Amino acid sequence: MIGISEAQAPVTVSLEDLHQDSVSFDTLERAFGPSSLGILLVKDLPIEFLDWRHKLLSYASHLANLGESELDKLSCPEAKYLVGWSRGKETLKSNHPDTLKGSYYVNCAFYRDPTLQNAPADDFPSFPEYTAPNIWPSETLLAGFRETFEDLCKLIIDTAVLVAKACDRYAVARVEGYETGYLERVVRTSLTTKARLLHYFPSAPSQSSGGTTNGHPAEEGQDSNDDDDDWCATHIDHGCLTGLTSAMYIDESHLPTPISSTSNTSSLTAPTPLPELPTSPFPTSGLYIHSRTHSITKINIPHHNLAFQTGEALELITKGKFRAVPHFVKGLRAGRDGSGCRGGEGGRVARNTLAVFTQPNLGEVVDRETGLTFGEFARGVVRRNT
């Protein structure tokens, strides 16, 4: 079992602080530096944020509960499932397929040009993970999904641009040879930024109350309740800055019947946003960070805030001044009825969230000493992870 530290809280700044360039170097070091958690919270966001967050994270449950035939149409095997829907395509540390979460990847090239849905393939013809176009569900299936997804991503990237600008001021002063405005330019002009809408499925009794692990028989002496990173294994992001919404916990016991694209009831009416549980029904579930001081800290992101984590490309760009942050997600522990709630009361609780990975363009050099481009770097990451 992990030893949890609650002593170190994430650093918080306001959106106005970022607009005014008033975030101090000390604040940035406490957020991203050698002894930090590697995460920064941003408060006082635009008024639309909460509405878009609630809508999109509700869509995650509606999407994940579509029929298999509909979900297959939204998948892209040739892009190694880094575009559109996937479930069970990643492998857990037990070498079993990860069926506990589903994800929906979207390329955010539309941030720079509303007509674009992918990075240009001209110089990278064999890199469909980034150059394959987005796949969107039809409006008759999930009305309003694409518009809400794009609106929220644009807001998150707008905020990431301001965080990047603050990081640039620090790096120019502290990193020898750093190009003025580099990170802001990378985030603002990127055609490779990826968004990942995540749905962590409710745990069934067989998955979280002993007997099996992730749908497979538990090994002798193995207690599935002792898996710390059962919902998402420990990893680091490979981009620059990752923007995160707070997680939304939803009781899916009374989720409406999934709509089929061939159903007579299909319409252009957007599904009603789902009721959000005020907190996780199991206190230890959620996002955890391995801090620079080798402690493990649970991160609670307020609903009205965004969080930004440092990724591996930013570590390269800043020559290690800002470090990529290892993190994982710990799942709900089901009660005896499989509810996921303490005492076995409640319902089938799912966790939904959105991550936006701001990344350099594929031809952008991220290591000036070796000339390594982000495309070359990303190919290595994809080979390791797929």
Side-chain angles (χ1 to χ4, degrees):
M1 294 292 289
I2 55 177
I4 306 301
S5 168
E6 297 288 355
Q8 193 172 8
V11 174
T12 302
V13 300
S14 73
L15 187 64
E16 184 62 19
D17 292 336
L18 293 169
H19 274 298
Q20 297 298 325
D21 291 334
S22 60
V23 178
S24 68
F25 288 179
D26 175 68
T27 298
L28 290 170
E29 285 186 345
R30 286 189 291 110
F32 298 142
S35 60
S36 71
L37 291 174
I39 191 166
L40 177 73
L41 301 185
V42 180
K43 63 179 182 178
D44 302 333
L45 297 167
I47 193 170
E48 302 89 356
F49 170 71
L50 284 175
D51 180 54
W52 290 341
R53 170 193 170 274
H54 190 187
K55 285 181 179 178
L56 186 62
L57 299 190
S58 293
Y59 275 119
S61 283
H62 290 294
L63 174 73
N65 283 278
L66 293 174
E68 286 300 317
S69 62
E70 299 293 350
L71 291 171
D72 285 345
K73 297 173 189 174
L74 301 174
S75 298
C76 189
E78 59 270 26
K80 298 182 179 177
Y81 300 97
L82 293 177
V83 172
W85 170 260
S86 67
R87 182 185 184 186
K89 306 304 178 184
E90 296 177 279
T91 303
L92 294 166
K93 61 186 177 183
S94 62
N95 289 323
H96 293 133
D98 178 7
T99 59
L100 294 183
K101 71 173 180 288
S103 71
Y104 199 88
Y105 276 105
V106 167
N107 184 288
C108 297
F110 54 77
Y111 179 79
R112 182 172 170 187
D113 181 341
T115 67
L116 293 178
Q117 290 295 310
N118 54 283
D122 300 349
D123 297 324
F124 296 86
S126 59
F127 206 1
E129 295 90 335
Y130 284 93
T131 61
N134 289 328
I135 304 172
W136 296 104
S138 68
E139 285 294 297
T140 56
L141 195 63
L142 283 178
F145 176 76
R146 175 175 174 174
E147 180 182 7
T148 303
F149 207 130
E150 290 185 347
D151 284 342
L152 184 54
C153 286
K154 289 173 186 174
L155 187 154
I156 292 172
I157 299 171
D158 279 342
T159 310
V161 167
L162 296 174
V163 175
K165 186 178 179 183
C167 292
D168 278 335
R169 288 193 297 107
Y170 176 90
V172 165
R174 303 292 173 87
V175 179
E176 184 179 356
Y178 188 86
E179 176 188 330
T180 301
Y182 175 86
L183 187 59
E184 180 188 0
R185 175 179 60 78
V186 161
V187 174
R188 187 187 298 278
T189 64
S190 176
L191 297 174
T192 64
T193 288
K194 286 267 191 181
R196 189 183 192 187
L197 183 63
L198 285 154
H199 175 78
Y200 297 87
F201 287 87
S203 296
S206 63
Q207 290 173 313
S208 24
S209 57
T212 68
T213 303
N214 301 329
H216 298 269
E219 299 176 4
E220 183 177 355
Q222 178 184 5
D223 179 358
S224 61
N225 285 340
D226 287 338
D227 288 340
D228 293 320
D229 53 1
D230 50 0
W231 253 355
C232 183
T234 301
H235 66 286
I236 57 175
D237 298 334
H238 70 270
C240 294
L241 292 165
T242 300
L244 297 169
T245 67
S246 62
M248 180 178 182
Y249 290 90
I250 296 172
D251 182 351
E252 293 189 344
S253 297
H254 307 293
L255 198 68
T257 302
I259 296 174
S260 165
S261 60
T262 59
S263 169
N264 292 330
T265 61
S266 296
S267 70
L268 296 181
T269 302
T272 303
L274 301 171
E276 179 174 4
L277 298 176
T279 59
S280 167
F282 201 91
T284 60
S285 68
L287 174 67
Y288 287 81
I289 281 177
H290 291 265
S291 77
R292 314 292 198 259
T293 57
H294 307 293
S295 63
I296 296 175
T297 301
K298 185 176 186 295
I299 302 298
N300 296 312
I301 305 171
H303 291 181
H304 53 281
N305 286 10
L306 280 170
F308 289 89
Q309 289 183 167
T310 44
E312 201 170 358
L314 184 59
E315 182 173 329
L316 284 171
I317 291 165
T318 62
K319 300 180 181 180
K321 292 291 186 181
F322 294 153
R323 300 287 181 88
V325 55
H327 54 284
F328 65 91
V329 178
K330 187 176 176 68
L332 295 166
R333 293 291 181 249
R336 291 185 179 180
D337 67 350
S339 68
C341 297
R342 283 180 286 182
E345 298 177 354
R348 298 179 61 254
V349 177
R351 178 184 188 269
N352 298 334
T353 190
L354 176 70
V356 177
F357 307 99
T358 65
Q359 302 173 144
N361 285 318
L362 296 175
E364 189 80 50
V365 174
V366 293
D367 187 337
R368 297 192 179 282
E369 293 184 3
T370 64
L372 181 73
T373 66
F374 181 72
E376 295 165 336
F377 171 69
R379 281 188 194 277
V381 173
V382 171
R383 279 196 296 269
R384 292 200 308 264
N385 296 338
T386 59

